[in-house]
Each structure stands twice: as C-alpha cells, then as structure tokens.
Amino acid sequence: MVDRVLFVCHANLCRSPMAEYLARRLLAGQPVLVSSAGTDAVDDLPMHPYAAEVAAEAGGEPAEFRSRRLRGELLVGATLVLTATRRQRSVCTALAPAALHRTFTLRQFGRLAEAADAATDAADDAAAGPVDGPLRAAVRAAARARGWLQPATPDADDLVDPIGGTAADFRRCAEEIERSLRPLAALIGTAG
C-alpha cells in the first residue's frame, strides 16, 4: 500500500500546488504519493503563473497540473492531509470525520514534526506491533506531539494566500511551505 499526502487550499491554484511540487522534491525516494485539491476549486484549471514558476524551480512540470475540487474519497485515501488554513482543516474533517487524527494545517504539522521524537515513537510502535511505513509512523509521532506541545496562536497555523500578490509574495509563501515541509521529510527519514 502506497502512502499518500494530500495538500488542501482554497482554489487549488496557488498554495496547495506549490506544496505538492515542493513536497515531491523533498520526499523524492520515499514511498509516498503527493497530490493536492481545493475546498472551493473549479476542476481542470492550470495553476497560477507565479505558482507555476515555483513548481518549475522545484523540478516539476507545471503545465501538466490541473486543479481539482476536494472530495471525501481524496481525504479517506490520504495518509496525511495538510491544509493551508484552519478553516480548510475544518472543512476536511467535516467532509471526512475519519481523517481527523491525520489532518493538520501545514504549519502546525511542521511544528509538531519538529518537536516529535521519531526514534522514541518508532520504539513504541515496534513494541505495539508492526509499523505500516515511515509516513504513517511520522503522522503518529506528530499526533503524539500534538498532545503535549503548547498550542500556537491561531494565526501561526494559517498560511497566507498569495493570490493577488507579486511573484515575491508567491516566493515568500513557497519558502514558508518548504520550511514547514522540512521537518516532515526529516521525521519520515528518521521513522523509516
């Protein structure tokens, strides 16, 4: 079974496509499929031109990308759901309540993954039974950290939408996405 990471934003034109392409680069070599969707997306649109620049710099082919609206089966099939905002996280968990424990905002998960001790969690998982894979172990480690890490201020969880901004605004957003993804990549590497 292949593990899946699903990135969710509003229109699936800016933040979630950039996260998808950046994650593909950062998680290259891991047994993980990465995709994206939007809570209010219109299907089959190309990504925003500035987001496409970021995707191309990440080594992707942005011309192949097409937006898609978030559906329940996407959430049910995802091992990890990372949203751009708390509102989108709420939409995801309302659409698929079973995804609650594996749905986080991207910035929230970055903090949790950074705080998680994958080595200790891997030992706990081994004692409890077989581990399904490094992404699932990373999600469990971050979920455990959620229980003891001091909550951040609400605005610390939301990733600002660069739509309507400049190319520099999109690059700043991409940098924040990458900062939030690095701890996930490190945690998967430790858990694997």
Side-chain angles (χ1 to χ4, degrees):
M1 174 184 263
V2 176
D3 286 330
R4 298 174 185 275
V5 177
L6 176 66
F7 292 98
V8 178
C9 72
H10 180 78
N12 194 214
L13 299 175
C14 302
R15 292 169 292 180
S16 59
M18 288 191 298
E20 177 183 340
Y21 281 79
L22 291 167
R24 283 185 185 157
R25 186 188 73 219
L26 287 170
L27 300 176
Q30 295 292 339
V32 176
L33 293 178
V34 181
S35 63
S36 63
T39 56
D40 296 273
V42 173
D43 286 329
D44 210 32
L45 296 176
M47 77 174 77
H48 188 284
Y50 293 148
E53 287 177 20
V54 169
E57 290 167 5
E61 289 293 334
E64 297 173 2
F65 178 86
R66 291 293 175 260
S67 62
R68 66 180 174 166
R69 187 171 185 87
L70 181 66
R71 295 181 311 278
E73 61 267 17
L74 296 173
L75 295 164
V76 170
T79 308
L80 174 62
V81 179
L82 296 173
T83 67
T85 67
R86 291 168 289 132
R87 181 189 114 24
Q88 288 142 9
R89 183 183 61 203
S90 294
V91 169
C92 290
T93 58
L95 193 56
L100 174 69
H101 297 294
R102 51 193 162 80
T103 302
F104 306 81
T105 70
L106 176 61
R107 293 179 75 189
Q108 172 192 32
F109 193 84
R111 284 192 312 277
L112 294 172
E114 200 167 51
D117 183 353
T120 300
D121 290 331
D124 291 346
D125 287 338
V131 176
D132 297 310
L135 179 60
R136 291 174 193 274
V139 171
R140 281 193 296 274
R144 286 185 191 116
R146 185 189 249 170
W148 53 264
L149 189 66
Q150 191 69 354
T153 60
D155 62 329
D157 281 344
D158 289 347
L159 185 62
V160 175
D161 193 346
I163 193 72
T166 65
D169 294 326
F170 276 75
R171 292 202 186 290
R172 276 191 291 279
C173 182
E175 289 167 3
E176 183 60 38
I177 291 168
E178 191 161 350
R179 254 191 311 278
S180 297
L181 286 173
R182 280 190 201 120
L184 169 61
L187 191 57
I188 288 174
T190 304

